């Protein structure tokens, strides 16, 4: 999972090296880029809207609570939603904040 995640981020950076100079030289391409970013933002909000307790933030408080047997978490929904959510946020250049989506 980690290797796939890193590879996808690298591919997004290669794409950004192509897209950002294009957006600078031809500003009309900003319109479809912004529309695509809003669509991605909508998808991101759908991914994280249902179960925000385990998805938002760094995950450290949740892990500490699990280790103290004070919290239970279904790992698969959290894993794929964090994976997809972070990729949807990072790849088009959206800001994650200091703790992620």
């Amino acid at each position: 999972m980690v290797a796939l995640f890193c590879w996808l981020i690298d591919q997004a950076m290669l794409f950004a090296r192509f897209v950002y100079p294009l957006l600078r030289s031809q500003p009309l391409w900003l319109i479809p880029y912004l529309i695509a970013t809003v669509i991605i933002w909508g998808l991101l909000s759908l991914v994280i809207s249902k179960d925000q307790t385990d998805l938002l933030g760094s995950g450290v408080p949740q892990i500490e609570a699990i280790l103290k047997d004070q919290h239970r978490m279904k790992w698969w929904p959290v894993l794929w939603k964090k994976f997809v959510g972070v990729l949807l946020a990072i790849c088009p250049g959206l800001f994650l904040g200091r703790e992620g989506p």
Side-chain angles (χ1 to χ4, degrees):
M1 276 309 253
V2 173
L4 177 63
F5 182 78
C6 290
W7 183 78
L8 289 171
I9 296 292
D10 284 341
Q11 297 304 309
M13 295 310 293
L14 292 174
F15 182 70
R17 289 186 187 144
F18 167 76
V19 169
Y20 289 154
L22 177 70
L23 293 175
R24 185 175 180 167
S25 66
Q26 298 182 12
L28 285 178
W29 280 102
L30 278 171
I31 296 169
Y33 183 78
L34 291 174
I35 291 170
T37 302
V38 169
I39 291 170
I40 290 171
W41 172 77
L43 290 172
L44 183 60
S45 66
L46 286 174
V47 167
I48 67 170
S49 66
K50 295 191 182 201
D51 187 23
Q52 293 185 2
T53 304
D54 294 330
L55 292 177
L56 298 177
S58 66
V60 173
Q62 290 89 346
I63 297 300
E64 289 176 351
I66 288 170
L67 291 173
K68 294 177 183 175
D69 204 23
Q70 297 172 345
H71 181 67
R72 298 243 181 254
M73 178 189 310
K74 294 180 182 176
W75 66 271
W76 177 247
V78 172
L79 178 66
W80 82 259
K81 288 177 182 178
K82 278 225 181 223
F83 187 86
V84 171
V86 170
L87 287 174
L88 284 175
I90 289 176
C91 292
L94 298 176
F95 180 69
L96 290 178
R98 62 188 180 117
E99 292 189 355

